[in-house]
Amino acid sequence: MEIPKQVLEIIQKLENSNFEAYVVGGCVRDFLLGIKPKDWDITTSAKPEQIQELFPKSFYENSFGTVTIIDETPDLSLKNIEITPFRLEGKYSDKRHPDEIKFADNLEDDLKRRDFTINALALRIKDNKLIDLFDGQKDLTNKVLRTVGDANERFNEDALRMLRAIRLSYELGFEIESKTLEAIKQNSNLLELISEERIRDELLRIVKFNPESIQKNKKSDEVNETDLESGPARIFETMRELGMLKIIIPELEIGWGIGQNKHHIYDVWEHNLRSFTYAVKEDFNWQVRLAALFHDIGKPKTKAGEGSESTFYGHDVLGARMAKQIMNRLKFSKKDIDKVVLLIRYHLFQSDPEKITDSAVRRVVRNVGQENIWDLINLRICDRIGSGVPKAEPYRLRKFLVMLEKALREPVSLKQLNINGQAIMEILNIEPGPKIGYILSALMNEILDSPENNEKEKLEKRAKELNELPIEQLGQISEKAKEKMEQIEYEKEEETKKKYWVS
Ligand code: ATP
Ligand code: MG
């Protein structure tokens, strides 16, 4: 892997003007790990105005002192490159953001303000020197996440770092060092002070992440026992254990220890987590993943009775409402909220082919809209696997999918003709009666074989010719057309059955 040319050029330009300049932070970490960095950050002794003078095509964001260079090369894999002057840790009176940005005059101070040792590495390009003041390299090798300096202090300055620790340990597969972990336990309440947008962004990264380990292991359907120990569920389990979840999403945590009925072997908490794990495993989109994580959060508050016969009436409606509250609070976009909430609201749809009619299937489609129907099905699959009860038969679901495909497909009908009964009456100047239907059917009979003739003018001309035939003959052709239409429907049905291995 190489450092992009544009990054090298920027550094050289700064150095040519006698400023110090380094590649720094997450990109050095990723680079050393052999992961392609998402963005490249440069830190320098130059002040914002000096950077801007050197790079006229840039903009300056006051809140962080960062100057963004607009990269105009066609390499789209490289987003804008950010140059930040050496900075000092600010004073955080509100434990949210520094009161003011203060620039430092040396690299050391800048590295000191960074969150974790593995994020506090800087690379000097001209002599290929790695500046590692806090043994970040050692932690990289040992796969350990450790704060720069005293963990307690660092989390008190900015509580989001605790969530960053969890997220990074998940993404990188690193252990959180014990003192750092202990400090999170001590300070998790401070997350209350952090803006919901920053929390949302970290959560989203967690939900969207695809752990290589479980993608590789995709063969079996099951979410095996170890998944709570190491998989995507582990991250939420850890947040719960450390006292973070009760601050960020208390609604999710209350499912812990809430037993379910005979249809489940896990409590509500574990079931939500396992459903989420399966959604990640199947690489479903993040909205489905989030819906899977939240789909049963309405259960604790709707539970009636105990043991194998307990019920949770209305948990779909309540769960949808709760998910909406959570996502509103975390400032998700309205579009994303609507989608996730809709999926949760309708996740209980009847899918037993023995108990459902075609019109009920069409209603399911109408409820969530065609654009969401496959996401709803995917949520159902997560729900089923996450319940841990093999009784939920995949065969029934496949039969249901055959019905669903039927509901989604346009039936073969006279409506497909580019002419209607009204037009026939006008052109042929005839009164309403069976003949009109016969002529339409006869036209359909021909269109099914030659769809290219389904054009208004051709149909009008043909209608006039058909009008000359005796009515008995028209009746017979019309019968034939109906049979042909039924046959086509039948063949389509057989095709979908084959697709879903349903006989
Ligand atoms: P990624 O880009 O993969 O999310 P990253 O570590 O690069 O990970 P960024 O948010 O891009 O994360 O931040 C870049 C660098 O800025 C970090 O590597 C770290 O050195 C520093 N940093 C970011 N957020 C904080 C914070 N809250 N406290 C201290 N330093 C931080
Ligand atoms: Mg980064």
Side-chain angles (χ1 to χ4, degrees), residues 89-123:
E89 180 66 57
K91 191 167 168 296
Y92 292 69
S93 327
D94 60 356
K95 296 190 166 42
R96 259 174 191 261
H97 22 60
D99 300 347
E100 54 181 332
I101 41 161
K102 284 200 215 115
F103 297 121
D105 50 20
N106 60 70
L107 175 69
E108 185 177 347
D109 284 342
D110 183 87
L111 295 180
K112 247 194 254 171
R113 68 157 178 104
R114 292 179 183 268
D115 48 7
F116 303 105
T117 61
I118 59 167
N119 284 349
L121 296 161
L123 190 62

Short mmCIF file of all heavy atoms in Angstrom, two decimals, residues 89-123:
data_model
loop_
_atom_site.label_atom_id
_atom_site.label_comp_id
_atom_site.label_asym_id
_atom_site.label_seq_id
_atom_site.Cartn_x
_atom_site.Cartn_y
_atom_site.Cartn_z
N GLU A 89 -4.77 20.12 23.85
CA GLU A 89 -6.02 19.70 24.45
C GLU A 89 -6.67 20.94 25.05
O GLU A 89 -6.05 21.65 25.84
CB GLU A 89 -5.73 18.67 25.56
CG GLU A 89 -6.95 18.16 26.25
CD GLU A 89 -7.84 17.34 25.32
OE1 GLU A 89 -7.35 16.37 24.76
OE2 GLU A 89 -9.01 17.71 25.17
N GLY A 90 -7.90 21.22 24.68
CA GLY A 90 -8.58 22.39 25.25
C GLY A 90 -9.13 22.08 26.62
O GLY A 90 -9.10 20.93 27.08
N LYS A 91 -9.67 23.07 27.27
CA LYS A 91 -10.34 22.84 28.55
C LYS A 91 -11.79 22.54 28.21
O LYS A 91 -12.44 23.25 27.43
CB LYS A 91 -10.24 24.10 29.41
CG LYS A 91 -10.66 23.89 30.85
CD LYS A 91 -10.21 25.09 31.68
CE LYS A 91 -10.84 25.08 33.06
NZ LYS A 91 -12.30 25.23 33.07
N TYR A 92 -12.34 21.46 28.79
CA TYR A 92 -13.70 21.05 28.47
C TYR A 92 -14.59 21.34 29.67
O TYR A 92 -14.86 20.44 30.47
CB TYR A 92 -13.78 19.54 28.20
CG TYR A 92 -13.09 19.05 26.95
CD1 TYR A 92 -11.72 19.05 26.81
CD2 TYR A 92 -13.86 18.53 25.89
CE1 TYR A 92 -11.11 18.57 25.67
CE2 TYR A 92 -13.24 18.04 24.75
CZ TYR A 92 -11.88 18.06 24.65
OH TYR A 92 -11.29 17.57 23.52
N SER A 93 -15.09 22.57 29.78
CA SER A 93 -15.95 22.85 30.94
C SER A 93 -17.23 22.05 30.86
O SER A 93 -17.80 21.66 31.86
CB SER A 93 -16.30 24.33 31.01
OG SER A 93 -15.25 25.11 30.53
N ASP A 94 -17.72 21.82 29.63
CA ASP A 94 -19.00 21.12 29.50
C ASP A 94 -18.82 19.64 29.20
O ASP A 94 -19.78 18.93 28.96
CB ASP A 94 -19.83 21.77 28.38
CG ASP A 94 -19.12 21.70 27.04
OD1 ASP A 94 -17.97 21.23 26.98
OD2 ASP A 94 -19.73 22.12 26.03
N LYS A 95 -17.61 19.15 29.24
CA LYS A 95 -17.30 17.75 28.93
C LYS A 95 -17.79 17.33 27.55
O LYS A 95 -18.00 16.17 27.27
CB LYS A 95 -17.88 16.82 30.00
CG LYS A 95 -17.25 17.06 31.36
CD LYS A 95 -17.65 15.97 32.34
CE LYS A 95 -16.83 15.95 33.61
NZ LYS A 95 -16.55 17.26 34.19
N ARG A 96 -18.01 18.26 26.68
CA ARG A 96 -18.52 18.00 25.34
C ARG A 96 -17.51 18.41 24.29
O ARG A 96 -17.09 17.64 23.48
CB ARG A 96 -19.74 18.87 25.07
CG ARG A 96 -21.05 18.24 25.20
CD ARG A 96 -22.04 19.37 25.05
NE ARG A 96 -23.37 18.97 25.40
CZ ARG A 96 -24.29 18.62 24.52
NH1 ARG A 96 -24.01 18.58 23.25
NH2 ARG A 96 -25.50 18.28 24.90
N HIS A 97 -17.19 19.68 24.30
CA HIS A 97 -16.17 20.14 23.36
C HIS A 97 -15.30 21.19 24.02
O HIS A 97 -15.72 21.87 24.95
CB HIS A 97 -16.74 20.67 22.05
CG HIS A 97 -18.16 21.10 22.14
ND1 HIS A 97 -18.58 22.10 22.97
CD2 HIS A 97 -19.26 20.65 21.50
CE1 HIS A 97 -19.88 22.26 22.84
NE2 HIS A 97 -20.32 21.38 21.96
N PRO A 98 -14.08 21.30 23.54
CA PRO A 98 -13.17 22.25 24.16
C PRO A 98 -13.73 23.66 24.10
O PRO A 98 -14.43 24.04 23.16
CB PRO A 98 -11.89 22.13 23.32
CG PRO A 98 -12.23 21.33 22.12
CD PRO A 98 -13.49 20.60 22.39
N ASP A 99 -13.45 24.44 25.14
CA ASP A 99 -13.97 25.82 25.20
C ASP A 99 -13.46 26.64 24.02
O ASP A 99 -14.15 27.48 23.48
CB ASP A 99 -13.53 26.47 26.51
CG ASP A 99 -14.07 25.71 27.71
OD1 ASP A 99 -14.96 24.86 27.50
OD2 ASP A 99 -13.60 25.94 28.83
N GLU A 100 -12.21 26.41 23.69
CA GLU A 100 -11.65 27.15 22.56
C GLU A 100 -10.56 26.27 21.96
O GLU A 100 -10.03 25.39 22.63
CB GLU A 100 -11.04 28.46 23.03
CG GLU A 100 -10.03 28.23 24.15
CD GLU A 100 -9.40 29.51 24.68
OE1 GLU A 100 -9.32 30.47 23.89
OE2 GLU A 100 -8.99 29.53 25.83
N ILE A 101 -10.24 26.49 20.70
CA ILE A 101 -9.12 25.72 20.17
C ILE A 101 -7.84 26.51 20.38
O ILE A 101 -7.75 27.69 20.11
CB ILE A 101 -9.26 25.36 18.68
CG1 ILE A 101 -9.83 26.53 17.88
CG2 ILE A 101 -10.10 24.13 18.48
CD1 ILE A 101 -9.56 26.39 16.41
N LYS A 102 -6.88 25.77 20.91
CA LYS A 102 -5.58 26.41 21.13
C LYS A 102 -4.56 25.66 20.30
O LYS A 102 -4.51 24.43 20.30
CB LYS A 102 -5.20 26.29 22.61
CG LYS A 102 -5.96 27.26 23.49
CD LYS A 102 -5.21 27.43 24.81
CE LYS A 102 -6.19 27.62 25.97
NZ LYS A 102 -6.15 26.55 26.95
N PHE A 103 -3.77 26.42 19.59
CA PHE A 103 -2.74 25.77 18.78
C PHE A 103 -1.50 25.52 19.61
O PHE A 103 -1.18 26.26 20.53
CB PHE A 103 -2.44 26.63 17.56
CG PHE A 103 -3.64 26.77 16.66
CD1 PHE A 103 -4.17 28.02 16.35
CD2 PHE A 103 -4.26 25.65 16.14
CE1 PHE A 103 -5.29 28.15 15.54
CE2 PHE A 103 -5.38 25.76 15.33
CZ PHE A 103 -5.89 27.01 15.04
N ALA A 104 -0.83 24.43 19.27
CA ALA A 104 0.42 24.10 19.96
C ALA A 104 1.56 24.46 19.04
O ALA A 104 1.38 24.64 17.84
CB ALA A 104 0.44 22.61 20.27
N ASP A 105 2.75 24.56 19.61
CA ASP A 105 3.87 24.86 18.70
C ASP A 105 4.73 23.63 18.45
O ASP A 105 5.76 23.71 17.80
CB ASP A 105 4.70 26.06 19.18
CG ASP A 105 5.09 25.91 20.64
OD1 ASP A 105 5.06 24.75 21.12
OD2 ASP A 105 5.41 26.93 21.27
N ASN A 106 4.31 22.48 18.96
CA ASN A 106 5.08 21.28 18.63
C ASN A 106 4.20 20.05 18.49
O ASN A 106 3.08 19.99 19.02
CB ASN A 106 6.18 21.04 19.67
CG ASN A 106 5.57 20.86 21.05
OD1 ASN A 106 4.94 19.85 21.32
ND2 ASN A 106 5.74 21.87 21.91
N LEU A 107 4.75 19.07 17.79
CA LEU A 107 4.01 17.84 17.51
C LEU A 107 3.64 17.09 18.79
O LEU A 107 2.55 16.54 18.91
CB LEU A 107 4.85 16.94 16.59
CG LEU A 107 4.25 15.55 16.31
CD1 LEU A 107 3.01 15.68 15.44
CD2 LEU A 107 5.28 14.64 15.63
N GLU A 108 4.57 17.09 19.74
CA GLU A 108 4.37 16.32 20.96
C GLU A 108 3.05 16.69 21.65
O GLU A 108 2.27 15.83 22.06
CB GLU A 108 5.54 16.55 21.91
CG GLU A 108 5.45 15.68 23.13
CD GLU A 108 6.65 15.85 24.06
OE1 GLU A 108 7.66 16.46 23.61
OE2 GLU A 108 6.57 15.40 25.20
N ASP A 109 2.81 17.99 21.78
CA ASP A 109 1.57 18.43 22.41
C ASP A 109 0.35 17.98 21.63
O ASP A 109 -0.69 17.64 22.20
CB ASP A 109 1.57 19.97 22.55
CG ASP A 109 2.47 20.43 23.68
OD1 ASP A 109 2.80 19.58 24.54
OD2 ASP A 109 2.86 21.61 23.69
N ASP A 110 0.49 18.00 20.32
CA ASP A 110 -0.64 17.58 19.49
C ASP A 110 -0.94 16.09 19.69
O ASP A 110 -2.09 15.68 19.79
CB ASP A 110 -0.34 17.84 18.01
CG ASP A 110 -1.52 17.46 17.13
OD1 ASP A 110 -2.41 18.31 16.94
OD2 ASP A 110 -1.58 16.29 16.68
N LEU A 111 0.10 15.29 19.77
CA LEU A 111 -0.12 13.85 19.93
C LEU A 111 -0.70 13.55 21.32
O LEU A 111 -1.49 12.62 21.48
CB LEU A 111 1.19 13.08 19.71
CG LEU A 111 1.74 13.16 18.28
CD1 LEU A 111 3.04 12.36 18.16
CD2 LEU A 111 0.72 12.66 17.25
N LYS A 112 -0.33 14.34 22.29
CA LYS A 112 -0.80 14.15 23.67
C LYS A 112 -2.31 14.30 23.80
O LYS A 112 -2.93 13.70 24.68
CB LYS A 112 -0.15 15.21 24.57
CG LYS A 112 0.84 14.62 25.57
CD LYS A 112 1.18 15.66 26.62
CE LYS A 112 2.58 16.20 26.39
NZ LYS A 112 2.91 17.35 27.23
N ARG A 113 -2.92 15.13 22.95
CA ARG A 113 -4.36 15.38 23.07
C ARG A 113 -5.18 14.30 22.38
O ARG A 113 -6.40 14.27 22.46
CB ARG A 113 -4.72 16.73 22.46
CG ARG A 113 -4.54 16.73 20.96
CD ARG A 113 -5.34 17.76 20.23
NE ARG A 113 -5.06 17.71 18.81
CZ ARG A 113 -5.89 17.16 17.91
NH1 ARG A 113 -7.03 16.63 18.27
NH2 ARG A 113 -5.56 17.15 16.63
N ARG A 114 -4.54 13.39 21.69
CA ARG A 114 -5.27 12.37 20.93
C ARG A 114 -5.77 11.25 21.86
O ARG A 114 -5.24 11.07 22.94
CB ARG A 114 -4.40 11.84 19.80
CG ARG A 114 -4.19 12.95 18.77
CD ARG A 114 -3.32 12.58 17.61
NE ARG A 114 -3.16 13.76 16.76
CZ ARG A 114 -3.96 14.04 15.71
NH1 ARG A 114 -4.91 13.20 15.36
NH2 ARG A 114 -3.77 15.15 15.02
N ASP A 115 -6.79 10.54 21.41
CA ASP A 115 -7.48 9.65 22.35
C ASP A 115 -6.73 8.38 22.73
O ASP A 115 -6.55 8.09 23.91
CB ASP A 115 -8.91 9.33 21.85
CG ASP A 115 -8.96 8.91 20.38
OD1 ASP A 115 -7.90 8.74 19.76
OD2 ASP A 115 -10.09 8.76 19.85
N PHE A 116 -6.29 7.61 21.75
CA PHE A 116 -5.68 6.31 22.06
C PHE A 116 -4.26 6.23 21.52
O PHE A 116 -3.93 6.90 20.53
CB PHE A 116 -6.55 5.18 21.50
CG PHE A 116 -7.95 5.25 22.03
CD1 PHE A 116 -9.00 5.70 21.23
CD2 PHE A 116 -8.22 4.92 23.35
CE1 PHE A 116 -10.28 5.81 21.73
CE2 PHE A 116 -9.50 5.03 23.87
CZ PHE A 116 -10.54 5.49 23.06
N THR A 117 -3.45 5.41 22.14
CA THR A 117 -2.04 5.33 21.75
C THR A 117 -1.90 4.98 20.27
O THR A 117 -1.05 5.53 19.57
CB THR A 117 -1.28 4.28 22.58
OG1 THR A 117 -1.88 3.00 22.36
CG2 THR A 117 -1.32 4.61 24.07
N ILE A 118 -2.79 4.08 19.80
CA ILE A 118 -2.68 3.68 18.40
C ILE A 118 -3.15 4.77 17.44
O ILE A 118 -2.92 4.70 16.24
CB ILE A 118 -3.46 2.37 18.11
CG1 ILE A 118 -4.95 2.55 18.45
CG2 ILE A 118 -2.88 1.19 18.88
CD1 ILE A 118 -5.82 1.42 17.91
N ASN A 119 -3.83 5.80 18.00
CA ASN A 119 -4.27 6.93 17.19
C ASN A 119 -3.32 8.11 17.33
O ASN A 119 -3.61 9.19 16.82
CB ASN A 119 -5.67 7.38 17.61
CG ASN A 119 -6.75 6.44 17.10
OD1 ASN A 119 -6.48 5.58 16.27
ND2 ASN A 119 -7.96 6.59 17.61
N ALA A 120 -2.27 7.93 18.08
CA ALA A 120 -1.36 9.04 18.38
C ALA A 120 0.00 8.84 17.69
O ALA A 120 1.03 9.26 18.19
CB ALA A 120 -1.19 9.20 19.88
N LEU A 121 -0.03 8.17 16.56
CA LEU A 121 1.19 7.96 15.80
C LEU A 121 1.28 8.98 14.68
O LEU A 121 0.27 9.33 14.08
CB LEU A 121 1.20 6.55 15.20
CG LEU A 121 1.22 5.39 16.20
CD1 LEU A 121 0.77 4.10 15.53
CD2 LEU A 121 2.62 5.24 16.79
N ALA A 122 2.50 9.45 14.44
CA ALA A 122 2.70 10.40 13.33
C ALA A 122 3.84 9.89 12.46
O ALA A 122 4.78 9.27 12.94
CB ALA A 122 3.01 11.79 13.86
N LEU A 123 3.71 10.15 11.17
CA LEU A 123 4.72 9.69 10.23
C LEU A 123 5.34 10.88 9.51
O LEU A 123 4.62 11.70 8.93
CB LEU A 123 4.04 8.75 9.22
CG LEU A 123 4.96 7.97 8.27
CD1 LEU A 123 5.88 7.03 9.03
CD2 LEU A 123 4.09 7.18 7.28
#
